Amino acid sequence: MTRQLEDATGDSPIDAAPLLGIDRRSAIDAVRLRIGMAISLGLLQPGEKLPDQQDVALGLSVSPITARRALASLADQGVVVRRRGRGGGTFVADEPPQNVLKQLAASPAESLAVNRLVDRRLLFECAVTHFAAVNATAAQLDELERLTHEMAGSTNWSEYHQADEMFHRLVAVCSGLGAAVEAYNEALAELYAYFIPYPIEFLHESNRDHVALVNALRVGDDRGAVEVSRRHVDVLHKTMFMGLAGRGDRQTG
């Protein structure tokens, strides 16, 4: 089933230049911004260990070399620190320099663009979910359920986000909408280009929507399934960085 999903979706285009943001940031600067904003918002805490370099790349849907160079740049500026030896890795600095973090902020134009991307995905999500309720096979539903278990067992944002992307792409495949699935995947990739790391507890809470969606799809409840998907995507207006940036606490939804 996973092979079917990979064949239907192809490679993720998130690392492509047109998807780097309204300000046309380089891929490296886009990753720096996403990690920096997560630190500024308190989603990544001082002293917290980041996933390894390969997982950072997979979790942010960029190439390994982009992740490596972005992390090296952040380390040079004191935002993260690298420790060698047993228990080593890349950690959020105990006192990240605030002047650097202030530079790692999205522009108002980027925030507006992300809100529009959320609305665009909302339309696609409701459409593919409706047809998935009609056309999903038992094998596809079993794979969706397996992915919900994988997300529930994820220990960091990178593991979760990889399974989350597979889940939503498979829902689109379940719809049987043919070429429209490619358009959905493009919209998903554009929005995922703005994904920032979140505490795993928040992501596990979000996974409850995935479980509810699979349950609705199994019984062919198209209205119930669409409502779950609508809520799941609409909340991104508040829980992505453009909704969090104006808050003074760590609340994420």
Side-chain angles (χ1 to χ4, degrees), residues 36 39-40 44-47 77-80 91-101:
I39 295 171
S40 295
L44 291 175
Q45 292 289 298
Q77 293 183 299
V79 176
V80 300
F91 298 80
V92 178
D94 290 337
E95 296 183 4
Q98 292 302 309
N99 62 319
V100 176
L101 292 181

Side-chain angles (χ1 to χ4, degrees), residues 173-236:
V173 172
C174 292
S175 72
L177 289 176
V181 173
E182 182 178 351
Y184 168 84
N185 287 332
E186 290 173 357
L188 190 68
E190 288 185 55
L191 189 57
Y192 276 172
Y194 292 92
F195 172 82
I196 62 176
Y198 289 90
I200 192 62
E201 297 81 9
F202 168 79
L203 297 174
H204 285 161
E205 181 72 19
S206 180
N207 190 43
R208 293 184 180 183
D209 288 344
H210 299 138
V211 174
L213 177 58
V214 174
N215 289 338
L217 293 177
R218 280 199 183 279
V219 297
D221 180 6
D222 57 333
R223 290 188 178 183
V226 168
E227 179 57 18
V228 171
S229 289
R230 186 197 65 78
R231 293 197 313 267
H232 185 72
V233 175
D234 190 54
V235 76
L236 295 177

Side-chain angles (χ1 to χ4, degrees), residues 59-250:
L60 297 181
S61 302
V62 298
S63 67
I65 192 170
T66 293
R68 177 174 62 81
R69 290 176 176 174
L71 291 173
S73 176
L74 291 171
D76 288 342
Q77 293 183 299
V79 176
V80 300
V81 294
R82 289 175 164 178
R83 300 170 187 163
R84 296 184 177 181
R86 193 171 186 178
T90 302
F91 298 80
V92 178
D94 290 337
E95 296 183 4
Q98 292 302 309
N99 62 319
V100 176
L101 292 181
K102 287 180 180 178
Q103 298 171 13
L104 300 173
S107 69
E110 284 175 302
S111 293
L112 176 61
V114 176
N115 273 300
R116 289 175 174 171
L117 286 172
V118 171
D119 287 335
R120 182 182 176 202
R121 181 185 167 190
L122 183 61
L123 292 173
F124 276 117
E125 202 75 42
C126 290
V128 299
T129 299
H130 168 78
F131 284 98
V134 175
N135 296 320
T137 66
Q140 288 172 329
L141 292 171
D142 288 344
E143 176 65 4
L144 286 173
E145 184 172 353
R146 186 194 69 77
L147 288 168
T148 66
H149 293 311
E150 186 173 328
M151 284 182 273
S154 297
T155 59
N156 62 58
W157 55 267
S158 176
E159 292 177 359
Y160 181 95
H161 189 57
Q162 293 172 61
D164 176 75
E165 181 172 2
M166 292 180 66
F167 179 92
H168 288 291
R169 288 175 180 265
L170 181 53
V171 172
V173 172
C174 292
S175 72
L177 289 176
V181 173
E182 182 178 351
Y184 168 84
N185 287 332
E186 290 173 357
L188 190 68
E190 288 185 55
L191 189 57
Y192 276 172
Y194 292 92
F195 172 82
I196 62 176
Y198 289 90
I200 192 62
E201 297 81 9
F202 168 79
L203 297 174
H204 285 161
E205 181 72 19
S206 180
N207 190 43
R208 293 184 180 183
D209 288 344
H210 299 138
V211 174
L213 177 58
V214 174
N215 289 338
L217 293 177
R218 280 199 183 279
V219 297
D221 180 6
D222 57 333
R223 290 188 178 183
V226 168
E227 179 57 18
V228 171
S229 289
R230 186 197 65 78
R231 293 197 313 267
H232 185 72
V233 175
D234 190 54
V235 76
L236 295 177
H237 285 296
K238 296 180 180 179
T239 58
M240 287 193 74
F241 66 79
M242 71 284 180
L244 294 168
R247 302 185 185 188
D249 54 30
R250 287 194 61 216

